[in-house]
Amino acid sequence: MASSSSLLCEEQLQCAICLDVFTDPVSTPCGHNFCMSCLRECWDSSSYCQCPVCKQDFDKRPELRVNTFISGLAVQFRKLGQVKSSSRAEQLGFASTKVLCDCCTGEKLEALKSCLDCGVSYCNTHLMPHRSATKLKKHKLIDAVEKLKDYICQKHERPLELFCRDDQMCVCQFCTEGDHKTHSTVPIEEESQAKKSQLGMAQAKGQQLIQDRVRKIEEIKHSVKLHRRNTEKQEVDSMKMFDDLMRCVERNQAELLEDMKEKQRVAEWQAEEFIKELEEEITEMKRRDTELEQLSHTDDHLHFLQMYSSMCSPKHIKNCTDIRFNPEMSGEPLMRALSELQEYLSKEMEKLAEMKLKKIQQYAVDVTLDPDTVHPYLILSEDRKQVTCGDCVQSYPDNPERFNRCPCVLGKEGFSSGRSYYEVQVRGKTMWDLGVARESIIRKGKITACPENGYWSLCLRHETDYKACESRWISLSLKQKPEKIAVFVDYEEGLVSFYDVKSKTCIYSFTGQSFSEKLYPYFSPCLSDKGQNSIPLIISPVKHSA
């Protein structure tokens, strides 16, 4: 059967709060164990109730009862620890496991006591004179120690029996008659007890400091949790606002289109009425014209004169010039309304863009350039925040991480989780590459920047030709030339986005990526092009949007 020492270890019976062996151990519903007093103090000092280890929240404070099984194990372990205390003290340098008798001539036996007056350690046999001789009985005996000289005054060769509180050192009786004559001295036993009391207070203070820090950690974690919830709520609110805005646009557009159709229907009805009226008048005038033609050939003069008056003076007919078909130009108010709506939408989109940029700026990280990866032609500034291309090879060591053909350099700091944001000034340059690259990229020879090769980047060529470096590079049409580019990485979401900091607009995003290793900021100032592209890329401090 295995011994108890092989089955138990201090970590298994250690409270995660006080870091000591359990005292009155209790179990939480999630299965973790703590000292009852530690857990109660932790919960009493917090406004919420959760497990200090796994952070599971409890709606109702659990009833705590001592776990008798774990309590029994803790008691056994404490007893085992007492047996091993001497060996631990030896490891710490507080005591020796075995001190040999100084008087044994043959095989030396283990010493039992050390005499501070004689300066010698004795086994049980050689200690007998100190127990029987009257003079020797007055000697100061202590448990056998290996470095006996540490217990004897080196100046007077007398036992160090007193403690000088002025000089904070152990002294002998003769010292108090010389250098320490006017000093405050007390027996070392008395000072030791006083110091032990102080030590106990220091331990209590240390435990309190530990508890304070445990509570602070809990507070910070709780604050992070609340901040995460607030951020998620802001995301939901932003999306809702955007959805409401789009619904408003669609509703207004539908109303405008319906209004336009209604006006068109009215216009068509008016036109039909005008056409009908004009056609009726045309028919009437044709009939009268026929009658006039017939009347002009009659020989019945009486009939001609009787009909002439009524035929030449027909009932009133409208003047065609008075008939105007001028329906309201429904397209003009529609376009005007759409223009106003577009302007409103543009302003709202700007607000949303500003909100989004402000949100991701909170993930700003400090990025510096890694001199172990820089191409031999590139020159780094002293603070490693700027990089430009020189005209000659620099004296860099031939590191395996160094780019040897493409003028590139990586950031010193990498990202393996969470969100990261940084800004790079590109103003005045005609060519550059920016983005992130995975740790295992090939850095020797020709490089094709694309996600398949471990690069997620944008580039500028010929001063105005912006491209997203996908498997097949995508040309980008930008309204204005960016002066500062922001790079945002969401590792878990597989997202790399690029922003124009000034206009607060997203230039391009790589979405749906799968990151499995560390990512590093990637920079290339490109060749100087006979001085046309000599301005450096500059990692800029992030100025949060107002």
Side-chain angles (χ1 to χ4, degrees), residues 115 117-118 129-140:
C115 179
D117 293 273
C118 301
H130 280 74
R131 293 172 176 168
S132 57
T134 303
K135 185 177 181 180
L136 294 179
K137 284 183 179 181
K138 296 180 180 179
H139 285 192
K140 181 74 172 180

Side-chain angles (χ1 to χ4, degrees), residues 28 120 126 142 146 160 163 168 211 285 316:
T28 58
V120 177
H126 290 104
I142 63 173
E146 186 176 7
L160 296 172
F163 184 82
Q168 291 292 300
Q211 293 297 325
M285 286 190 294
H316 177 70

Side-chain angles (χ1 to χ4, degrees), residues 443-473:
R443 311 180 190 193
K444 308 299 182 184
K446 184 178 179 181
I447 294 173
T448 300
C450 64
E452 287 77 10
N453 294 337
Y455 293 85
W456 293 266
S457 61
L458 296 187
C459 70
L460 170 65
R461 297 291 184 267
H462 312 299
E463 193 170 0
T464 59
D465 189 9
Y466 295 91
K467 295 182 182 295
C469 301
E470 291 275 12
S471 301
R472 298 182 66 177
W473 286 14

Side-chain angles (χ1 to χ4, degrees), residues 81-97:
Q82 291 175 358
V83 174
K84 294 184 177 180
S85 61
S86 59
S87 63
R88 288 200 298 270
E90 178 187 0
Q91 294 173 358
L92 295 172
F94 294 144
S96 174
T97 55

Side-chain angles (χ1 to χ4, degrees), residues 102-122:
D102 294 323
C103 297
C104 291
T105 56
E107 180 183 356
K108 289 186 175 293
L109 300 177
E110 184 176 356
L112 183 63
K113 296 287 184 180
S114 295
C115 179
L116 298 180
D117 293 273
C118 301
V120 177
S121 297
Y122 299 103

Side-chain angles (χ1 to χ4, degrees), residues 134-371:
T134 303
K135 185 177 181 180
L136 294 179
K137 284 183 179 181
K138 296 180 180 179
H139 285 192
K140 181 74 172 180
L141 295 176
I142 63 173
D143 290 338
V145 292
E146 186 176 7
K147 296 181 180 180
L148 188 56
K149 65 179 182 178
D150 293 342
Y151 295 80
I152 300 174
C153 177
Q154 299 301 305
K155 183 177 182 179
H156 303 108
E157 296 185 352
R158 300 296 298 166
L160 296 172
E161 300 176 300
L162 302 170
F163 184 82
C164 177
R165 288 179 171 174
D166 293 294
D167 294 333
Q168 291 292 300
M169 61 182 295
C170 294
V171 296
C172 69
Q173 187 65 43
F174 289 170
C175 291
T176 62
E177 298 174 1
D179 296 339
H180 302 269
K181 185 175 182 179
T182 60
H183 294 179
S184 173
T185 58
V186 295
I188 58 174
E189 292 84 2
E190 180 181 337
E191 186 65 20
S192 177
Q193 289 299 323
K195 287 288 193 291
K196 285 181 179 179
S197 298
Q198 295 177 6
L199 181 63
M201 295 173 62
Q203 287 177 319
K205 185 177 180 180
Q207 290 297 321
Q208 183 60 46
L209 292 174
I210 291 174
Q211 293 297 325
D212 292 342
R213 278 150 181 76
V214 169
R215 282 193 293 269
K216 181 57 67 176
I217 290 173
E218 295 304 315
E219 290 175 4
I220 292 173
K221 289 181 178 179
H222 184 61
S223 297
V224 170
K225 187 176 181 180
L226 291 177
H227 187 270
R228 184 185 300 114
R229 290 177 179 173
N230 186 48
T231 299
E232 291 172 353
K233 182 177 182 301
Q234 289 179 352
E235 290 179 352
V236 172
D237 291 344
S238 297
M239 292 305 299
K240 183 177 182 301
M241 183 176 67
F242 184 76
D243 291 341
D244 291 343
L245 180 62
M246 294 306 298
R247 282 195 293 270
C248 177
V249 171
E250 293 171 356
R251 184 170 59 253
N252 289 341
Q253 183 182 27
E255 290 176 356
L256 287 169
L257 291 175
E258 183 60 32
D259 182 62
M260 181 182 68
K261 291 179 180 178
E262 178 61 26
K263 290 181 178 180
Q264 178 64 28
R265 286 194 293 269
V266 172
E268 290 178 357
W269 176 80
Q270 290 177 343
E272 290 175 357
E273 291 297 316
F274 283 136
I275 292 172
K276 181 179 178 181
E277 185 176 348
L278 291 173
E279 286 178 343
E280 289 177 351
E281 292 186 351
I282 290 172
T283 302
E284 177 63 23
M285 286 190 294
K286 285 183 176 180
R287 185 188 62 79
R288 188 173 58 254
D289 186 64
T290 301
E291 291 179 351
L292 287 173
E293 179 65 23
Q294 294 174 352
L295 184 62
S296 65
H297 293 92
T298 183
D299 293 330
D300 187 346
H301 301 294
L302 179 60
H303 176 71
F304 174 80
L305 292 174
Q306 289 176 342
M307 297 299 298
Y308 178 81
S309 176
S310 60
M311 294 293 290
C312 292
S313 301
K315 59 182 179 180
H316 177 70
I317 295 178
K318 294 180 179 178
N319 188 343
C320 288
T321 58
D322 295 334
I323 301 176
R324 296 182 181 276
F325 176 68
N326 187 24
E328 181 181 0
M329 299 298 291
S330 55
E332 293 181 5
L334 174 63
M335 295 306 296
R336 184 168 58 253
L338 287 176
S339 177
E340 292 174 355
L341 182 60
Q342 184 178 16
E343 183 179 353
Y344 170 74
L345 182 59
S346 177
K347 290 180 180 179
E348 292 301 315
M349 293 299 290
E350 288 178 4
K351 291 179 182 178
L352 287 174
E354 186 173 355
M355 288 173 57
K356 185 172 184 180
L357 186 63
K358 184 177 180 181
K359 175 187 171 185
I360 63 176
Q361 281 179 334
Q362 66 180 316
Y363 301 106
V365 293
D366 184 25
V367 174
T368 56
L369 301 171
D370 186 359

